[in-house]
Amino acid sequence: MRLLVRAILILGLMWHQTLAANPANTADSVEALFDNSGIPGASYGATSDGIVTKVGALGLIEIGAEARVTEDSAFLIGSVSKSFTALGVMQLVEAGDVALDAPISAYLKRFENAPASDVTIRQLLSHTSGFSMLQGNAEQDDFSMDKDALADRVGRLVDQQLANPPGSKWEYSNANYQILGRLIEAVSGSDYASYVENNILIPAGMENSYVHKAAIDARLVSGHQPWFGAKRALTQNMTGLGSAPQGGIVSSGHDMARYLSIMMNGKDDILSAAGKTQMMQPASIVSPRYGFGWFINPDKGLVYHSGANPGFEALATMVPAERKGVAVLVNAGSGTGFGDTDHFRHAASALLIDVDYENREAGALPKMTFLLVTSLPVLFLLASLWAYVKRAKLAEKTQSWFGHFSLWFPLLTTSVIAVLVFAFLPQVIGAPLSAIRYFQPDMWLGILGIALLGPAWAIWRLVLAYKTRPTSS
């Protein structure tokens, strides 16, 4: 009977029906969603009118372990961290130490003669600086915890050419927030982690939140990568101090609810009420749906940000006009089509603060894409075996011009695919292949297998054809 009730609740959610605002019903509905998600563990917190109204902990801190997620469990929140970096910058603006329309070169001298010398703080905050998504994702495999990691990362951005003229185009780029994190260090005289903890997290009463600055931290639950439709635990959580301003903050559902409450309380506290409002409004004409560290949906009155680290995903959502908000954190990365967390995070958020939900369940196309990408390398291996069995037939093809064409054409097509994978795929997705490796290792293996095994199969056919004696007619 309980399973039937849960099924009915989920179906009602998918048809955009509003569930009763009874806290027990809401908790049961979120639990039902979680049970059907395949996610190891989750933490959530909701706030309304300045009060944390709902807090929940679901599942395990690690697959195969007995320890369960608690209300104090800590999760990496990915790019939701950008809102904290933006808040830190705005604190320096209100203190008179930083001007929004001043160039970054006024504060970071290394940029004085750089291509980005005229990029303003406002443009960095709103992703209109001209740095591209690919530039921001170029060092996803840098997990250094060295104290100079952020300075080194930003130093490597100094000589890079901008993809677009500053202020001409909106393009999301982690590079912007790496630079802003370094700005906080240069102006405040404190390292980024210490500044955020001392000026935001501690004053906000976020007792289980911190900037991740150790390869292994007992306070942090285990992250899980997608692995061929299932999840596998990470041996250690993958993040570094160089990426801390863009995605290195750790928090709990309860702490995040407190944070969202403060952002909407209309008070002068960790930032002025006017400053917080400015962060949640369009930054410019070029940035109509992004403020300072927050996405904006003016049609629905929503302010939000999602986040992803290898093995973790998060979603923070606010309805400022109604002073309600919610954060949902999970210790799992999304797979392509299979094992994604998007549906759970958005559906749970909609339930917890009673807003409309648009179905985000994975459709047929991403599932078909995953199956195709992961099956093609296997097919190439089987085809190579089949080519060996039929090598005599291949040798017969060398007796005619069309046969030669049929032998060489697969090498051309598979080589083109390999070039597309290595040279153009990073441009299309805005991230190097190494990023896919850490976020979706199963897809990475499939993509790499196609790029390498395809040409290898074609070459193997040629070797067999030209080294094997043709059978006599």
Side-chain angles (χ1 to χ4, degrees):
M1 178 59 71
R2 190 178 182 188
L3 291 175
L4 178 59
V5 171
R6 287 184 175 180
I8 292 172
L9 290 173
I10 294 172
L11 287 172
L13 175 64
M14 292 173 61
W15 282 97
H16 305 258
Q17 294 175 340
T18 303
L19 297 177
N22 184 298
N25 287 347
T26 300
D28 284 347
S29 301
V30 172
E31 185 178 351
L33 285 167
F34 176 80
D35 290 344
N36 288 278
S37 69
I39 296 169
S43 176
Y44 65 80
T47 179
S48 179
D49 201 24
I51 300 172
V52 176
T53 55
K54 303 181 185 78
V55 178
L58 301 166
L60 304 172
I61 64 170
E62 182 178 338
I63 289 177
E66 294 183 359
R68 299 189 64 81
V69 175
T70 69
E71 293 181 3
D72 295 334
S73 294
F75 294 69
L76 276 161
I77 63 171
S79 287
V80 183
S81 304
K82 290 180 172 66
S83 67
F84 290 86
T85 300
L87 180 57
V89 171
M90 289 298 290
Q91 287 177 333
L92 297 175
V93 169
E94 293 193 347
D97 297 325
V98 171
L100 282 173
D101 294 308
I104 186 61
S105 55
Y107 308 102
L108 299 180
K109 299 304 180 184
R110 297 182 69 176
F111 280 92
E112 283 184 345
N113 297 309
S117 62
D118 294 330
V119 170
T120 68
I121 309 307
R122 185 188 303 273
Q123 290 166 347
L124 290 167
L125 285 165
S126 59
H127 294 295
T128 58
S129 66
F131 281 104
S132 69
M133 180 178 288
L134 181 59
Q135 287 172 308
N137 288 329
E139 299 192 40
Q140 292 279 12
D141 55 352
D142 178 9
F143 305 125
S144 171
M145 290 294 176
D146 185 85
K147 64 181 179 64
D148 296 322
L150 179 56
D152 293 341
R153 177 81 69 88
V154 172
R156 293 191 287 273
L157 292 170
V158 169
D159 295 327
Q160 292 193 21
Q161 296 295 324
L162 296 175
N164 306 292
S168 65
K169 179 182 177 181
W170 187 92
E171 183 170 357
Y172 190 88
S173 179
N174 287 326
N176 296 316
Y177 277 76
Q178 294 163 10
I179 295 170
L180 289 170
R182 182 59 183 150
L183 167 70
I184 289 174
E185 292 187 331
V187 174
S188 71
S190 173
D191 65 90
Y192 174 81
S194 298
Y195 180 90
V196 170
E197 289 174 1
N198 293 329
N199 292 276
I200 300 176
L201 303 181
I202 293 174
M206 300 173 70
E207 298 178 352
N208 296 301
S209 302
Y210 57 95
V211 179
H212 191 53
K213 48 185 179 286
I216 298 176
D217 193 308
R219 295 173 289 180
L220 186 62
V221 301
S222 295
H224 296 79
Q225 294 171 311
W227 190 244
F228 298 99
K231 303 290 182 188
R232 68 174 185 179
L234 294 168
T235 54
Q236 70 178 45
N237 295 300
M238 298 175 177
T239 188
L241 286 178
S243 60
Q246 77 197 39
I249 290 178
V250 177
S251 192
S252 66
H254 182 269
D255 276 6
M256 285 301 298
R258 288 185 59 85
Y259 172 60
L260 299 180
S261 178
I262 291 172
M263 286 298 298
M264 297 181 292
N265 65 10
K267 298 178 181 179
D268 298 336
D269 37 48
I270 57 175
L271 190 69
S272 71
K276 288 183 278 190
T277 298
Q278 184 178 11
M279 290 179 65
M280 297 186 288
Q281 293 179 341
S284 66
I285 296 175
V286 183
S287 179
R289 292 184 176 268
Y290 201 90
F292 296 163
W294 291 104
F295 283 96
I296 301 159
N297 186 331
D299 300 330
K300 296 185 177 181
L302 299 179
V303 175
Y304 64 97
H305 215 298
S306 61
N309 296 87
F312 293 88
E313 293 190 350
L315 177 65
T317 307
M318 290 181 285
V319 188
E322 300 178 30
R323 296 180 65 186
K324 59 185 182 181
V326 61
V328 178
L329 320 177
V330 300
N331 62 343
S334 286
T336 299
F338 298 93
D340 70 281
T341 78
D342 206 34
H343 171 61
F344 170 74
R345 286 180 291 124
H346 283 84
S349 297
L351 277 167
L352 288 163
I353 57 173
D354 191 24
V355 296
D356 290 338
Y357 168 67
E358 295 179 1
N359 192 4
R360 290 176 176 264
E361 289 186 294
L365 182 59
K367 292 179 179 178
M368 290 174 61
T369 300
F370 177 82
L371 293 173
L372 178 64
V373 169
T374 55
S375 63
L376 274 177
V378 177
L379 293 177
F380 280 131
L381 290 173
L382 293 175
S384 298
L385 178 61
W386 182 250
Y388 180 78
V389 173
K390 296 293 183 178
R391 58 190 181 278
K393 289 290 186 182
L394 288 175
E396 291 178 5
K397 292 178 178 290
T398 63
Q399 305 304 302
S400 68
W401 71 268
F402 183 77
H404 285 292
F405 175 80
S406 67
L407 287 170
W408 285 92
F409 186 70
L411 179 59
L412 173 63
T413 56
T414 55
S415 296
V416 168
I417 291 172
V419 170
L420 290 174
V421 166
F422 290 115
F424 295 103
L425 183 61
Q427 300 289 337
V428 173
I429 65 175
L433 294 181
S434 60
I436 302 176
R437 175 186 176 187
Y438 293 112
F439 284 86
Q440 295 190 25
D442 45 7
M443 279 292 285
W444 175 77
L445 284 173
I447 292 169
L448 204 63
I450 291 172
L452 298 179
L453 293 178
W457 161 73
I459 293 170
W460 175 239
R461 289 176 77 249
L462 290 170
V463 170
L464 291 173
Y466 290 101
K467 291 293 185 180
T468 303
R469 184 185 299 276
T471 57
S472 57
S473 303

